[in-house]
Amino acid sequence: MQKHDKMVALAKEKSAEMTETAITAIETMYRKNVKISVAELTKLTGLSRGFFYNNPNVKQVMMELKEKQQGKVLRNPKSDAIAKAQEARIKSLEHKLSDSVPKSDYENLQKKYEELQEKYSQMKKGTLLKMYDQL
């Protein structure tokens, strides 16, 4: 009987540690304005999805803090990672582009583009005025 009591005590202790870990992770996500989700919590803690749904204390804390997050602008770890990857890709492409076209050629093309834009807007105005006069 004594062995059984030790096993039960160890199981309760482990459960309390897991509960504390889960609640700490939830509170940390809340403080850092990271969207609280079970998927993200399982990644952070290594605990199962079922633990977050089946443990009443953890579920209550999670639901309360998720409710407090309603209407707030939150960070999504996935979108943060995607944004960083996109920034790196943009910098890489800009670097390749700057290497491929000499700066003087780029500036000349930019000037031509602006001149053509100006001529186009003048032509458009002239066409519209002629159409207006014909009415």
Side-chain angles (χ1 to χ4, degrees), residues 30-98:
Y30 178 76
R31 278 194 312 275
K32 291 185 175 182
N33 284 330
V34 175
K35 183 178 179 184
I36 297 172
S37 70
V38 174
E40 199 60 37
L41 286 166
T42 58
K43 288 179 192 173
L44 282 172
T45 62
L47 300 171
S48 69
R49 293 176 66 84
F51 180 82
F52 291 96
Y53 291 114
N54 296 329
N55 186 307
N57 295 336
V58 172
K59 186 176 183 179
Q60 180 183 358
V61 170
M62 182 176 63
M63 297 310 281
E64 286 174 3
L65 293 181
K66 279 179 85 169
E67 190 173 310
K68 285 183 180 180
Q69 285 186 334
Q70 295 294 325
K72 287 186 176 180
V73 176
L74 303 173
R75 288 186 5 214
N76 186 340
K78 284 183 183 178
S79 63
D80 288 349
I82 291 170
K84 286 180 183 176
Q86 287 175 337
E87 284 177 27
R89 177 78 173 138
I90 289 169
K91 285 182 182 178
S92 169
L93 292 172
E94 285 174 344
H95 183 69
K96 285 181 183 177
L97 182 61
S98 67

Side-chain angles (χ1 to χ4, degrees), residues 95-110:
H95 183 69
K96 285 181 183 177
L97 182 61
S98 67
D99 290 346
S100 67
V101 177
K103 191 171 184 174
S104 60
D105 289 350
Y106 174 78
E107 290 171 352
N108 289 337
L109 288 172
Q110 186 70 29

Side-chain angles (χ1 to χ4, degrees), residues 17-34:
E17 287 174 8
M18 290 170 35
T19 300
E20 185 178 329
T21 299
I23 291 174
T24 302
I26 294 167
E27 289 171 344
T28 301
M29 289 177 78
Y30 178 76
R31 278 194 312 275
K32 291 185 175 182
N33 284 330
V34 175

